[in-house]
Amino acid sequence: MNNLLFKMKYLVLALLIAFSFSCSTEDGERGPQGEQGIPGVDGKDGNANVISVLFENQTISVGNNVFNIPELTQDIYDNGIVYAYATVGSNAYWEVLPLSSGGNTILEIDRIEVGQATLKATFTQSNLRIRFVLVAGTPAGMASEGLSHMSYKEAMDYFGLEY
């Protein structure tokens, strides 16, 4: 038994010596600079094709109200998004369409066509401001980010437009 204990002491001592030499904290010399890698491919540009169209001092009547929007192109119609907002001229806020009151829709986009949008109203009101935000193509990830019902401020901030 003494012989085994004697051998264990030497084994532990040998392991301690081996570990102390293998764990040096000094760095070696720095090697030469490697070659420059090949340039990467340019990524796809973001969507800068966002247009804000404002109609000031508008009167909305019961039924269909047509807004001529030449900026609403075939590409936007086919591939883009159209947002609509309304506010009374003196208000400091915008409301996203469709608007509802008492559980009933009172103002909504009824139809989008190349060059125009039709809003359907169940009331008559003057001194309204109507804004359409037209987005050519669909920005990557918009649907998955839940941005399809964004507020006026959120849309203006998201697309970098002035209020």
Side-chain angles (χ1 to χ4, degrees):
M1 176 96 160
N2 281 341
N3 195 16
L4 181 61
L5 188 59
F6 182 73
K7 288 182 181 178
M8 289 289 275
K9 283 184 192 179
Y10 280 109
L11 178 63
V12 169
L13 183 61
L15 287 173
L16 286 173
I17 292 171
F19 280 129
S20 67
F21 284 109
S22 66
C23 298
S24 175
T25 58
E26 292 181 32
D27 289 338
E29 269 188 51
R30 189 172 288 273
Q33 177 67 33
E35 290 181 28
Q36 180 69 30
I38 59 172
V41 177
D42 283 343
K44 184 178 177 182
D45 289 340
N47 187 342
N49 299 321
V50 178
I51 302 165
S52 178
V53 181
L54 177 64
F55 292 90
E56 296 271 8
N57 198 21
Q58 296 295 301
T59 298
I60 296 288
S61 300
V62 173
N64 289 336
N65 299 267
V66 178
F67 291 85
N68 291 317
I69 309 170
E71 299 89 347
L72 207 165
T73 63
Q74 184 71 50
D75 181 55
I76 293 171
Y77 177 81
D78 290 340
N79 304 305
I81 299 171
V82 177
Y83 295 101
Y85 305 90
T87 190
V88 175
S90 61
N91 283 348
Y93 60 89
W94 290 86
E95 296 182 82
V96 65
L97 270 59
L99 292 178
S100 60
S101 178
N104 297 314
T105 301
I106 61 171
L107 183 62
E108 64 185 327
I109 299 175
D110 183 60
R111 186 181 349 207
I112 297 171
E113 302 171 77
V114 174
Q116 69 181 28
T118 303
L119 300 183
K120 184 177 180 180
T122 61
F123 65 96
T124 298
Q125 173 76 44
S126 60
N127 194 28
L128 287 177
R129 293 187 300 162
I130 307 292
R131 183 179 302 268
F132 294 95
V133 176
L134 314 173
V135 182
T138 302
M142 272 195 87
S144 64
E145 292 177 22
L147 301 176
S148 61
H149 294 287
M150 65 177 69
S151 71
Y152 174 76
K153 183 179 180 330
E154 290 167 336
M156 299 304 278
D157 289 346
Y158 185 84
F159 294 117
L161 300 172
E162 292 184 23
Y163 295 80

